[in-house]
Amino acid sequence: MPVFIEEEKSVFEPRNDDYLEAARYLGYSKISVPEEDVFNLIKECCTELYDYISPKAVYEIFPLKNDGEHIEFADVCLVSKNLGVNLRDCSEVCILASTIGPKTDALIRKYVMTDTVRAGILQACGAMYIEKFVDYVNEKIKKEAELSGKTTKPRYSPGFGDVSLEVQKDFFRLLPCTRIGLTLMDTLIMSPEKSVTAFIGIKN
């Protein structure tokens, strides 16, 4: 059965580390941090976007067959050496879809027309928030697995390595993504934009 997650967004209230993570999406690093005025603008944008996020996720766990290249779960059969390595020794796979909601996209589009710098920073803040939320959901799945004496592998998203975005269609067929406000466009890009799908392998 699919599992739905809709947390109080206070869990994701931005902190100093989050501002630095947003800066990383803008090209800064630990040794090349933003100047004070830029950092303050990042902080301001993170705070503004926080009022618009609506984090939701759905996932389901399926038995898995994987010979290192041919991967089977539910009624899906796909070929991927990269994912095969990621899911090595796993007996189950969790497929996950998550989003921070459509209002974030609307806010960014508004600023694209009036303030492109702010729009760019808001894009980075949005990337920070969706990753923060997916990390949170990933940790819940990990703890759930540990209760059964199992472990999880690092998550792997369609579109990376040799895993085609075509796999998105299987996610949307197997998961009730529309119930979290998520749709898949003909281009295989998701809407809202700040959304993530991922595989998470589970080992006995």
Side-chain angles (χ1 to χ4, degrees), residues 83-107:
L83 187 58
V85 170
N86 177 270
L87 298 176
R88 181 181 293 152
D89 301 325
C90 293
S91 59
E92 297 173 299
V93 64
C94 172
I95 60 170
L96 159 71
S98 58
T99 183
I100 56 171
K103 291 182 179 180
T104 59
D105 286 3
L107 180 67

Side-chain angles (χ1 to χ4, degrees), residues 10-42:
S10 58
V11 175
F12 311 103
E13 191 169 352
R15 297 172 173 83
N16 195 65
D17 286 350
D18 298 322
Y19 307 140
L20 293 173
E21 182 67 6
R24 187 179 69 81
Y25 283 106
L26 289 167
Y28 293 95
S29 66
K30 290 181 179 180
I31 59 174
S32 176
V33 297
E35 299 80 0
E36 184 178 358
D37 58 338
V38 176
F39 183 81
N40 287 337
L41 184 55
I42 292 170

Side-chain angles (χ1 to χ4, degrees), residues 147-175:
L147 290 175
S148 302
K150 302 175 183 179
T151 58
T152 57
K153 302 290 283 290
R155 68 176 184 267
Y156 195 103
S157 288
F160 286 90
D162 61 358
V163 181
S164 170
L165 279 177
E166 285 285 333
V167 179
Q168 300 272 52
K169 294 179 180 178
D170 293 316
F171 277 73
F172 278 75
R173 184 170 52 80
L174 295 171
L175 295 175

Side-chain angles (χ1 to χ4, degrees), residues 35-166:
E35 299 80 0
E36 184 178 358
D37 58 338
V38 176
F39 183 81
N40 287 337
L41 184 55
I42 292 170
K43 183 176 179 180
E44 183 181 309
C45 288
C46 284
T47 301
E48 181 178 13
L49 194 62
Y50 172 76
D51 290 337
Y52 290 80
I53 68 172
S54 179
K56 296 178 183 179
V58 60
Y59 69 86
E60 189 165 356
I61 296 170
F62 298 93
L64 172 71
K65 292 181 180 179
N66 171 27
D67 67 5
E69 185 174 2
H70 298 87
I71 297 154
E72 298 181 23
F73 63 92
D75 59 355
V76 177
C77 299
L78 63 96
V79 178
S80 167
K81 290 183 178 179
N82 294 148
L83 187 58
V85 170
N86 177 270
L87 298 176
R88 181 181 293 152
D89 301 325
C90 293
S91 59
E92 297 173 299
V93 64
C94 172
I95 60 170
L96 159 71
S98 58
T99 183
I100 56 171
K103 291 182 179 180
T104 59
D105 286 3
L107 180 67
I108 292 168
R109 283 196 300 269
K110 183 185 82 170
Y111 280 112
V112 165
M113 304 300 294
T114 60
D115 188 339
T116 55
V117 171
R118 194 175 190 88
I121 295 174
L122 285 166
Q123 285 279 7
C125 297
M128 176 275 292
Y129 277 123
I130 184 59
E131 285 300 314
K132 184 175 184 176
F133 178 50
V134 177
D135 284 346
Y136 174 85
V137 176
N138 201 150
E139 187 64 22
K140 288 179 76 74
I141 294 167
K142 178 182 177 182
K143 288 179 178 178
E144 180 183 296
E146 288 172 347
L147 290 175
S148 302
K150 302 175 183 179
T151 58
T152 57
K153 302 290 283 290
R155 68 176 184 267
Y156 195 103
S157 288
F160 286 90
D162 61 358
V163 181
S164 170
L165 279 177
E166 285 285 333

